Amino acid sequence: MNPSPHSHETEILPLRICRADYSDPVHAGALVDLLDAYAQDPAGGGEPLGAFARTHLVQALAARPQAYSVLAFSGAQPVGLVNCIEGFSTFACRPLVNVHDVAVLAKYRGQRVAEQMLALAETIARERGACKLTLEVLQGNASAIRLYERMGFAGYELDPAMGRAQFLQKWLR
């Protein structure tokens, strides 16, 4: 597509989806910048990453063998990020993978960027022997919920009489 000089359309180049190499400065910079953009989005809390996270995040992820990330590039432009952290299912006695962050730059949303990144994240989880993927999503993020449901995610429950699981947190400061 060649946008006219008066158009607000963006030319979208073919996407390249890859596992992030935390030792690659391009990947490291993309990861921090994309996570910062996500943090500043209302779905990410509306606040930029703190200086400590910006400075230490990639090194901290690289130090954790249970962590991996997936990046999406349109040409040289990083446009999407998925961060995953391996946990453990005691009931299945197998690893599970929590999809911790899913971020796509606003002008690239609606083009199945996240779907392609999540597909690679799932492939890596399967290679690790994981029994399932988990994630959390805000109730008001309807487009993300539609994506996750389309990809096979569903609310978690063991017994319908007990209801669905709720995600709770307690900050340790």
Side-chain angles (χ1 to χ4, degrees):
M1 143 178 44
N2 290 324
S4 73
H6 305 292
S7 171
H8 294 288
E9 295 177 10
T10 302
E11 183 174 1
I12 306 300
L13 300 172
L15 289 177
R16 180 173 58 90
I17 310 297
C18 63
R19 182 173 178 164
D21 176 352
Y22 298 134
S23 67
D24 180 329
V26 171
H27 286 199
L31 190 149
V32 171
D33 290 346
L34 288 163
L35 192 63
D36 185 51
Y38 174 45
Q40 292 183 55
D41 188 90
E47 297 287 331
L49 287 181
F52 182 83
R54 287 191 65 84
T55 303
H56 295 93
L57 178 62
V58 175
Q59 179 183 355
L61 287 170
R64 287 166 172 73
Q66 69 273 27
Y68 65 93
S69 302
V70 173
L71 292 167
F73 291 88
S74 177
Q77 171 69 45
V79 301
L81 166 69
V82 171
N83 285 320
C84 297
I85 310 290
E86 184 179 302
F88 189 76
S89 169
T90 54
F91 283 15
C93 191
R94 290 178 50 203
L96 60 81
V97 172
N98 179 256
V99 177
H100 192 70
D101 301 300
V102 178
V104 176
L105 294 181
K107 71 181 183 179
Y108 294 89
R109 292 179 188 156
Q111 300 173 45
R112 303 214 168 181
V113 175
E115 185 174 319
Q116 293 178 61
M117 291 187 301
L118 286 168
L120 179 54
E122 180 176 333
T123 297
I124 296 167
R126 288 179 185 278
E127 290 169 357
R128 289 172 167 242
C131 63
K132 67 179 175 178
L133 294 174
T134 63
L135 58 77
E136 63 198 62
V137 61
L138 297 174
Q139 290 176 330
N141 195 343
S143 61
I145 292 169
R146 283 191 303 275
L147 162 69
Y148 301 144
E149 289 174 344
R150 187 172 68 242
M151 295 197 69
F153 288 88
Y156 173 75
E157 64 185 17
L158 296 172
D159 177 346
M162 293 297 295
R164 286 188 170 184
Q166 294 184 16
F167 180 79
L168 306 173
Q169 72 176 8
K170 177 181 178 180
W171 284 103
L172 304 176
R173 296 181 193 226

